[in-house]
Amino acid sequence: SDMQYLCQDIVWDYKGDNYAASCKDKTVRFVDARTATETFRIAEAHDGVKGVKVVYLGESGKVLTTGHSRQSGREVKIWDLNKLDKPLCVEKIDTAAGVLMPMYDVDTNVIYLCGKGDGNIRTCEFEDKKPYFHRLNDGFRSTTALKGVCMVPKRGLDVMACESARLLKVTNEAGVQPLSFVVPRKSDAFQPDIFPETASYVPAHSAEEWMDGSSKAPETMNLNPALAGNQQNGGKKKRFTTVSTLSQDLKRAEERIKYLEGKLDEAGISYNKE
């Protein structure tokens, strides 16, 4: 698709049928990924001159954009894909200058607002009804400025420690810092309310099927370690044998061989003894 202007952000929707791209002209374009044709757009999603970021809010039919207002204040807007003439919700954040990079956890509906040059990361929650946007606690606080950020897939988290998210924070001088967000729970048991089934490593379809029009949600997996060997698409759980067990198995096999060779000798049957 010919964007015509410098592209600032590209994100895929939940099923991988379309992608959204924000450009320097303040417009967010929605593109059919198979035909590379623009289907609809948000003209001037934010009035400010700073960059615009966008993220799909799962299968809700909503998208979230971050940008600056005409008064240079940072803001978040939530849009309905079926009615893009005006946002469903506008939330003022602060007056900092850095671009807000939203990270969305589709399993828990939690939004992590990460500002370029900020030390803090705000946590918010999306709800598919009014008022749509809720601020949670203070999130993560630090004096080390953020340069870039990404989210670790759920299957890479310490679920038994109730680690609900882990962000990788890129800094100027301190390298890449992993930031863990943990839900406090007294129980040591697996918490299914925090960890519903999540996207697995198994593809939903092949590239050829996708090009032919196949539209499927991601294959999911259960994060409960007790069910790790019984995943529908994850295969059998690996079994590891110790040296002691292998030695015992070998000893039993040698005794069995010796017994069978004796029976062959008694019957007068010749065989290769090497």
Side-chain angles (χ1 to χ4, degrees):
S1 178
D2 185 6
M3 296 294 176
Q4 299 180 349
Y5 294 89
L6 178 65
C7 187
Q8 297 174 327
D9 195 18
I10 294 181
V11 294
W12 289 85
D13 70 0
Y14 185 71
K15 292 185 177 180
D17 295 327
N18 306 280
Y19 63 85
S22 62
C23 300
K24 198 172 182 179
D25 63 345
K26 307 179 187 178
T27 299
V28 177
R29 294 170 171 83
F30 298 89
V31 180
D32 184 315
R34 296 181 181 86
T35 62
T37 55
E38 181 181 321
T39 52
F40 36 89
R41 63 171 60 186
I42 303 174
E44 293 197 12
H46 297 268
D47 296 328
V49 297
K50 297 285 186 176
V52 174
K53 297 293 183 180
V54 59
V55 63
Y56 283 91
L57 298 174
E59 293 188 281
S60 66
K62 313 292 190 302
V63 293
L64 178 146
T65 62
T66 63
H68 284 72
S69 65
R70 195 179 302 276
Q71 292 76 30
S72 298
R74 293 197 295 193
E75 61 185 11
V76 169
K77 293 183 180 181
I78 295 177
W79 307 78
D80 187 337
L81 289 172
N82 295 317
K83 191 178 181 182
L84 294 171
D85 55 332
K86 63 179 181 179
L88 296 171
C89 167
V90 180
E91 185 76 15
K92 305 296 183 182
I93 304 300
D94 56 24
T95 57
V99 174
L100 277 176
M101 294 174 279
M103 301 283 113
Y104 179 63
D105 184 347
V106 68
D107 297 329
T108 60
N109 297 323
V110 175
I111 304 162
Y112 300 86
L113 295 178
C114 314
K116 189 172 183 179
D118 291 4
N120 303 336
I121 295 177
R122 296 171 175 84
T123 53
C124 312
E125 184 178 17
F126 165 70
E127 186 178 20
D128 197 11
K129 61 181 181 180
K130 290 183 179 181
Y132 299 104
F133 189 87
H134 303 275
R135 299 193 187 215
L136 300 179
N137 54 29
D138 292 335
F140 174 80
R141 291 186 172 275
S142 170
T143 57
T144 304
L146 179 146
K147 187 177 181 181
V149 66
C150 70
M151 182 176 284
V152 174
K154 280 295 180 72
R155 56 184 181 272
L157 304 182
D158 186 355
V159 296
M160 298 310 294
C162 295
E163 183 186 28
S164 61
R166 187 187 307 162
L167 304 183
L168 299 182
K169 173 183 175 181
V170 181
T171 66
N172 287 319
E173 299 178 355
V176 178
Q177 299 179 345
L179 309 178
S180 291
F181 293 80
V182 177
V183 178
R185 290 288 172 92
K186 293 182 179 180
S187 174
D188 293 332
F190 177 75
Q191 306 293 316
D193 59 320
I194 303 176
F195 302 104
E197 290 206 352
T198 191
S200 74
Y201 49 82
V202 178
H205 42 214
S206 66
E208 291 77 15
E209 290 172 337
W210 180 85
M211 286 298 297
D212 289 338
S214 176
S215 177
K216 298 178 181 177
E219 294 287 345
T220 60
M221 62 183 294
N222 196 306
L223 293 175
N224 189 345
L227 304 177
N230 300 317
Q231 299 296 328
Q232 182 177 0
N233 298 302
K236 294 182 179 180
K237 186 177 180 179
K238 295 181 179 179
R239 294 183 60 189
F240 296 93
T241 307
T242 64
V243 174
S244 176
T245 301
L246 288 173
S247 299
Q248 293 174 10
D249 291 344
L250 178 60
K251 183 178 180 180
R252 284 193 292 267
E254 290 175 340
E255 292 174 351
R256 179 65 176 171
I257 291 171
K258 186 177 180 180
Y259 167 78
L260 293 174
E261 286 178 343
K263 288 294 184 181
L264 291 173
D265 291 338
E266 291 177 3
I269 301 174
S270 61
Y271 60 94
N272 187 355
K273 295 185 178 183
E274 293 183 358

